[in-house]
Amino acid sequence: QVQLAESGGGLVQPGGSLRLSCVVSGVTFSAYVMGWFRQAPGQEREFVAVVSWGGSNIDYADSVKGRFTISRDNAKSTAYLQMNSLKPEDTAIYYCAASVTEPFQWDYWGQGTQVTVSS
């Protein structure tokens, strides 16, 4: 079965950094577009970043541009989200997702990892 497993979340002070990882199993990882999303309590799920199979096509939400970096290691079947200069408004559950098509359908999702930015 297809599984996505996020890790790397936690409590960090404003201005700090975290690196999220998403390990994918049960699929041919390199054939999937990978994305990161987040959802704060009482709010809708929000797009954060996306990276194509080869890592050359990348897009970010305006709110994280210049602070977050998405990448992937196909040999390790892992996607990453490096988060720098974190702000309290970045607090959310972060989800990894995979899409086999464009327009994106986000066929598979992980369980999420909590990121809390607070002094």
Side-chain angles (χ1 to χ4, degrees), residues 45-64:
R45 184 174 57 197
E46 176 188 21
F47 165 78
V48 175
V50 62
V51 58
S52 64
W53 68 270
S56 59
N57 295 321
I58 294 174
D59 196 18
Y60 299 95
D62 288 341
S63 59
V64 306

Side-chain angles (χ1 to χ4, degrees), residues 14 40 60 87 90 97:
Y60 299 95
K87 306 174 181 179
D90 295 319

Side-chain angles (χ1 to χ4, degrees), residues 38 48 60 64 66-69 81-84 86 90 94:
R38 66 187 183 185
V48 175
Y60 299 95
V64 306
R67 300 188 298 119
F68 290 11
T69 302
L81 185 68
Q82 178 67 46
M83 305 185 294
N84 299 327
L86 284 163
D90 295 319
Y94 283 71

Side-chain angles (χ1 to χ4, degrees), residues 70-111:
I70 188 172
S71 62
R72 62 191 295 163
D73 186 336
N74 290 344
K76 297 181 178 180
S77 296
T78 303
Y80 304 95
L81 185 68
Q82 178 67 46
M83 305 185 294
N84 299 327
S85 301
L86 284 163
K87 306 174 181 179
E89 52 262 44
D90 295 319
T91 296
I93 300 175
Y94 283 71
Y95 297 93
C96 178
S99 179
V100 300
T101 62
E102 293 188 51
F104 303 136
Q105 296 190 118
W106 302 117
D107 308 273
Y108 307 105
W109 293 83
Q111 294 298 309

